[in-house]
Amino acid sequence: MKRVLSGMQPSGQLTLGNYIGALKNFTELQHTHDCYFMVVDLHAITVPQEPAALREQSEAVAALYIAAGIDPSKANVFLQSHVRQHAELGWLFTTLTYMGELERMTQFKDKSAGKDSVGAGLFTYPSLMAADILLYNADLVPVGDDQKQHLELTRDLAHRFNQRFGDTYTIPEPYIPQVGARVMSLDDASNKMSKSNPNQGSFITMLDAPDVIRKKISRAVTDSGREVKFDPQNKPEVSNLISIYAQCSKKPVAEIEAMYDGQGYGPFKKDLAEQVVGLLEPIQERYRDIRASGELHSILREGAERASVQAEKMLRATKEKMGFLVL
Ligand code: AMP
Ligand code: TRP
């Protein structure tokens, strides 16, 4: 069985972009692959986090994984910090990564732009991500479009290690959806929808109440004109909303265009809101059940125990090949 690994940062509430771009694919892959789904708390602290919020968000993201449909008896769900091998292999890979490679990373450039001081962890973040993936010899990594560059670096590092120390690591492939790999912000379709955007109206979180979702969609920026037409060049805002509609309803774009032909944006936005509410409401209900059940900690403990067994095997093999005295 091929192996899948992915992770999300507990740096805020997960958005509809996280769901459509990545989480939805996690739930589909679990039926055919050996899956490892992490909450990457060690990555989240590359920008300052308030300790109580970090703890709460870590539990929330894990519960949302399960509420979205990940079955913890099929897939390993765990926190990155619970499997110590991540930090250790992360260091080993930091020493194999070139400064120039890290300097080229667009996520680093975006997150550090305009800041007076930037933590070193934000810079070395991709080396830890490579370790996350290679620690399990993952074949496939389901992510949104913005992680493509990090995946490329992971592949380069795996090659580099194999060449320098002998064949050890599988070269992982990205698994990026054809549609929905880049859900854009509701206030400006030139930016991706992001939980760290200070404008709350720019994103929909997976836990937003139905009325909040309706309000955010009714206020979403639309292009001039009134035609519901998928044309990312000339109508980027409406095209983004049509993609979201298509992802939530599983309807093809052409069918959605035909449904709203000549009707203007009003009815389209109203129905879009109901599509999003319809998608998220059952997830939110399961989320509340899981949080109330008190089962989350034992699920995470078991997930981490199983993951550690795999991780330790790869870490040992890596250390032996690099020349550490392994007793
Ligand atoms: P992050 O929240 O940065 O940890 O991202 C977790 C996963 O969600 C990654 O695979 C991202 O590529 C994906 N993702 C985040 N934002 C979006 C978005 N706006 N559209 C599509 N995928 C996204
Ligand atoms: N960098 C990813 C993001 O911001 C999160 C991440 C960390 C990840 N480690 C990973 C994703 C390993 C896939 C595989 O979205």
Side-chain angles (χ1 to χ4, degrees):
M1 225 194 229
K2 292 217 169 187
R3 196 165 278 173
V4 165
L5 176 133
S6 196
M8 295 199 180
Q9 300 187 63
S11 47
Q13 287 200 356
L14 294 190
T15 68
L16 188 61
N18 289 128
Y19 180 78
I20 292 175
L23 185 49
K24 188 158 72 71
N25 283 332
F26 295 7
T27 64
E28 286 162 11
L29 288 164
Q30 69 180 334
H31 303 294
T32 45
H33 291 73
D34 177 22
C35 288
Y36 292 81
F37 297 126
M38 282 190 295
V39 178
V40 291
D41 46 4
L42 297 175
H43 275 107
I45 61 162
T46 56
V47 296
Q49 302 291 337
E50 208 271 301
L54 178 65
R55 203 156 21 239
E56 161 57 27
Q57 287 302 333
S58 299
E59 291 194 338
V61 172
L64 270 173
Y65 278 4
I66 296 163
I70 293 173
D71 175 353
S73 70
K74 279 206 174 104
N76 299 294
V77 176
F78 59 99
L79 301 194
Q80 185 185 29
S81 64
H82 288 173
V83 180
R84 289 165 193 258
Q85 289 83 351
H86 287 266
E88 192 170 345
L89 192 69
W91 170 251
L92 303 182
F93 272 99
T94 302
T95 70
L96 297 174
T97 314
Y98 303 129
M99 299 281 285
E101 288 175 317
L102 296 173
E103 279 159 4
R104 282 196 290 277
M105 294 292 126
T106 54
Q107 183 170 302
F108 173 71
K109 287 193 233 175
D110 291 346
K111 286 196 174 178
S112 59
K115 299 253 160 63
D116 289 338
S117 59
V118 173
L122 194 63
F123 189 59
T124 59
Y125 174 118
S127 307
L128 178 60
M129 177 163 162
D132 293 341
I133 297 167
L134 300 176
L135 199 45
Y136 301 91
N137 252 342
D139 298 285
L140 215 55
V141 184
V143 282
D145 196 55
D146 62 331
Q147 296 301 312
K148 228 187 210 161
Q149 198 186 23
H150 288 157
L151 244 298
E152 246 344 283
L153 178 60
T154 302
R155 289 164 57 85
D156 290 345
L157 289 171
H159 264 301
R160 188 169 305 154
F161 187 97
N162 288 349
Q163 283 201 322
R164 211 177 280 180
F165 302 108
D167 223 11
T168 309
Y169 289 112
T170 305
I171 311 295
E173 296 283 343
Y175 184 89
I176 297 175
Q178 298 270 340
V179 188
R182 216 174 165 75
V183 176
M184 308 314 277
S185 169
L186 299 180
D187 65 347
D188 173 6
S190 59
N191 290 323
K192 72 161 190 171
M193 182 182 282
S194 164
K195 56 196 170 211
S196 46
N197 190 321
N199 175 10
Q200 297 275 326
S202 73
F203 57 84
I204 292 171
T205 83
M206 289 183 69
L207 295 175
D208 276 346
D211 277 347
V212 173
I213 296 174
R214 292 186 184 106
K215 199 179 286 167
K216 285 181 176 178
I217 290 180
S218 79
R219 290 183 184 164
V221 173
T222 43
D223 310 275
S224 56
R226 59 190 299 276
E227 227 185 330
V228 179
K229 189 159 173 38
F230 188 79
D231 177 357
Q233 282 289 321
N234 300 309
K235 302 191 86 153
E237 315 286 345
V238 171
S239 300
N240 182 43
L241 298 180
I242 296 176
S243 310
I244 296 174
Y245 195 124
Q247 289 297 308
C248 296
S249 65
K250 301 197 174 88
K251 282 194 166 74
V253 166
E255 191 179 326
I256 297 166
E257 287 174 335
M259 278 166 63
Y260 297 98
D261 190 26
Q263 293 194 45
Y265 297 144
F268 165 70
K269 279 176 132 188
K270 228 182 174 114
D271 290 353
L272 170 61
E274 295 317 311
Q275 289 289 340
V276 175
V277 168
L279 173 80
L280 294 180
E281 247 185 345
I283 296 178
Q284 295 178 355
E285 214 166 286
R286 284 196 295 272
Y287 173 83
R288 285 189 287 269
D289 288 348
I290 293 154
R291 294 292 312 249
S293 75
E295 285 168 13
L296 194 61
H297 287 193
S298 64
I299 290 172
L300 291 176
R301 209 172 277 122
E302 282 167 29
E305 272 168 21
R306 287 196 300 258
S308 300
V309 174
Q310 285 306 323
E312 183 56 24
K313 276 191 207 156
M314 283 311 292
L315 180 64
R316 251 185 112 82
T318 303
K319 290 175 81 173
E320 269 171 8
K321 293 203 178 182
M322 289 179 87
F324 288 95
L325 177 64
V326 177
L327 300 175

